[in-house]
Amino acid sequence: MSLPTLWPQLQNTPNPAQQLVSQMPETKQLVLRAATRKLFDKSYFDICTVDSLMKLVGTTARPAAYTQLSALHCMHYADMPGELRDRIPYLVRECLAGQTADEAASIVLG
């Protein structure tokens, strides 16, 4: 849907001061799911998406898993050993582990 198509819907939404869509937990869930799907649907690994997911869930620590994933930035999944490729969702989960990341981690691992 394009922005011009969405504009009439936007005009009919409640006053943003009443409830910001960005503050709704279900919006955060939708963004987490879409970004995670993007991370694994590409043909290569992109650490920038992990950075965005970490910001979204409020995790600022850089665990060892993040350092390992950084080394894989822009590497095609097809060029990785299968055993490594299978561990990437678990490494991403470690990156998201924090006070508010339980839901995000469950999204990553399905």
Side-chain angles (χ1 to χ4, degrees):
M1 219 181 249
S2 67
L3 187 56
T5 308
L6 287 173
W7 184 245
Q9 293 174 6
L10 293 174
Q11 289 177 318
N12 294 325
T13 58
N15 181 345
Q18 293 172 347
Q19 182 169 19
L20 295 174
V21 174
S22 64
Q23 300 301 315
M24 297 169 65
E26 55 271 17
T27 300
K28 187 175 178 180
Q29 282 271 336
L30 290 169
V31 171
L32 283 168
R33 288 182 196 280
T36 302
R37 189 170 39 252
K38 172 187 160 193
L39 179 63
F40 295 109
D41 283 350
K42 288 182 173 183
S43 62
Y44 61 93
F45 180 76
D46 181 10
I47 195 70
C48 299
T49 304
V50 176
D51 290 333
S52 295
L53 288 167
M54 290 174 69
K55 286 179 190 172
L56 186 63
V57 299
T59 300
T60 56
R62 296 283 189 244
Y66 182 87
T67 303
Q68 293 172 7
L69 288 171
S70 293
L72 302 176
H73 180 63
C74 288
M75 183 181 292
H76 286 267
Y77 290 117
D79 294 337
M80 298 177 192
E83 188 176 2
L84 175 59
R85 197 171 42 246
D86 292 343
R87 292 178 187 199
I88 290 177
Y90 297 95
L91 291 168
V92 172
R93 181 180 182 170
E94 284 183 36
C95 290
L96 299 178
Q99 311 105 325
T100 60
D102 289 339
E103 293 174 18
S106 69
I107 290 169
V108 170
L109 295 175

